[in-house]
Amino acid sequence: MSRITIFIALLFVFSCKGKPNQIKEVVTNEAKKSALIETFKYTEGSEPIISVHRGGVGLANYPENCLETIEYVNDSISAVFEIDLAKTKDGVLVLMHDNTLERTTTGTDRIEKYTYQELQAFNLVDDFGTETTFKIPKFTDVLAWAKKNNAILTIDIKRSVNVADVIETIRELQAEDVSIIITYDVKQALKAYKLAPDLLLSVSARNQEELQWLLETEIPTENMLAFTGTRLSDAKLYNELHKLGITTMLGTLGNLDKQAEARGDNLYMTWRKLGIDVFATDRPFQAAAALNIVK
């Protein structure tokens, strides 16, 4: 049984507990753990997972950080979706990787200079410069879609955004069971954990030193999904993470994806055998096929 299938079953169980007005009380007083903490606990022999970078990149007519793109990919493969959050002039959380609009939209200048309504004048552009009819999506709309479709989001929070605001939005939509918060260092991880000890965190463990720093904090290992970087590490690191019950994630996006494209997609299986559980990739369809991941 795949992890995504297990997640759906867990989501059903958790959704049956308590009335909506009771959930906020439970979260704020004695937080119920996100179902993802159990779903992403390392289990030997479990199926690999694809994490789709920026919701899908390099796809003709489908821009990155776009709800329609996420829907398109989700229709074809079993995956989780990494998204980037920015904030508009009027404080609306939206999906956007860059600080400026030029690369991914028909707009110009910094996103923080526009209200959400003003941003609706612009269209999203795919990675080949083709204008689409798609708009910059609200985080709340993507969260609602994820809940409805049992899709998991890994949430990259940009500097202009307060992690507390993101967690509050997740709480408001009761989307704890589809949300993973991305952190890049121990300080960020600790802040996120203190605000939301019930959520799964993507933490940076690129080497033994970073892993040791994490283990010396109050963050339980069960709350950790270990991002091991965008370069291969020694297999000893992956083995140690597995012994701790921590699932590993490798960022194949960039150089490793290019290696697979040039030398053969069988490299994804090679990395899998080395100890990689989650593949954060710009080539989700090719990686899924190579790893025999079916919808």
Side-chain angles (χ1 to χ4, degrees):
M1 182 180 294
S2 72
R3 295 190 195 191
I4 303 299
T5 303
I6 294 171
F7 160 72
I8 293 171
L10 284 170
L11 184 61
F12 176 79
V13 171
F14 278 92
S15 66
C16 293
K17 294 183 179 181
K19 297 179 180 179
N21 63 348
Q22 294 175 323
I23 293 177
K24 186 174 182 179
E25 181 181 347
V26 171
V27 167
T28 53
N29 294 333
E30 190 174 340
K32 171 180 68 64
K33 294 178 183 177
S34 164
L36 299 183
I37 287 178
E38 181 64 27
T39 301
F40 278 82
K41 182 179 180 180
Y42 173 70
T43 304
E44 186 175 357
S46 59
E47 290 187 1
I49 296 173
I50 297 297
S51 175
V52 185
H53 187 218
R54 299 185 192 173
V57 300
L59 302 173
N61 302 311
Y62 287 97
E64 66 179 53
N65 280 305
C66 171
L67 180 53
E68 287 81 2
T69 302
I70 294 172
E71 292 174 330
Y72 168 70
V73 177
N74 189 64
D75 285 343
S76 302
I77 62 172
S78 178
V80 304
F81 296 91
E82 186 260 350
I83 59 173
D84 302 282
L85 293 190
K87 187 168 64 174
T88 65
K89 183 179 180 180
D90 53 341
V92 177
L93 296 178
V94 296
L95 272 59
M96 178 65 59
H97 178 272
D98 299 358
N99 293 323
T100 57
L101 298 169
E102 286 85 352
R103 183 178 66 86
T104 59
T105 81
T106 56
T108 60
D109 217 330
R110 299 180 67 84
I111 189 170
E112 63 194 20
K113 292 188 176 182
Y114 296 89
T115 65
Y116 173 74
Q117 193 58 46
E118 289 170 341
L119 288 174
Q120 298 312 292
F122 309 131
N123 291 330
L124 288 170
V125 173
D126 72 12
D127 283 343
F128 307 98
T130 302
E131 180 180 346
T132 71
T133 59
F134 306 139
K135 304 294 183 178
I136 298 171
K138 286 184 181 180
F139 178 44
T140 51
D141 291 339
V142 178
L143 271 182
W145 174 88
K147 281 191 63 179
K148 181 179 179 181
N149 291 275
N150 299 321
I152 301 169
L153 304 173
T154 62
I155 304 165
D156 194 341
I157 303 168
K158 297 307 175 185
R159 292 183 180 180
S160 63
V161 179
N162 191 324
V163 65
D165 293 337
V166 176
I167 292 170
E168 181 181 358
T169 303
I170 292 170
R171 300 281 194 233
E172 289 173 353
L173 272 74
Q174 298 173 14
E176 292 89 346
D177 291 337
V178 298
S179 301
I180 301 171
I181 300 296
I182 295 175
T183 64
Y184 287 98
D185 55 41
V186 171
K187 183 178 179 180
Q188 289 181 352
L190 272 171
K191 181 177 181 180
Y193 175 71
K194 289 177 180 178
L195 288 169
D198 54 316
L199 296 185
L200 183 65
L201 306 177
S202 172
V203 296
S204 180
R206 295 170 296 179
N207 49 54
Q208 293 288 345
E209 185 177 32
E210 287 188 342
L211 175 57
Q212 188 58 40
W213 290 341
L214 288 165
L215 295 178
E216 291 172 358
T217 70
E218 62 192 88
I219 305 171
T221 53
E222 68 175 9
N223 286 66
M224 300 180 188
L225 168 62
F227 181 73
T228 61
T230 57
R231 294 184 292 182
L232 292 170
S233 299
D234 192 291
K236 292 180 181 179
L237 176 64
Y238 308 135
N239 290 335
E240 184 170 349
L241 287 164
H242 286 163
K243 288 178 182 178
L244 292 166
I246 303 174
T247 291
T248 64
M249 177 189 289
L250 175 67
T252 63
L253 51 99
N255 288 333
L256 293 178
D257 274 343
K258 291 177 182 177
Q259 285 184 34
E261 186 174 13
R263 294 165 48 191
D265 291 341
N266 59 302
L267 281 178
Y268 293 109
M269 187 59 74
T270 299
W271 300 327
R272 168 64 174 163
K273 291 176 181 177
L274 188 64
I276 303 306
D277 305 308
V278 183
F279 294 77
T281 178
D282 287 333
R283 305 178 72 235
F285 298 114
Q286 295 88 341
L291 293 165
N292 301 313
I293 299 173
V294 296
K295 180 67 175 174

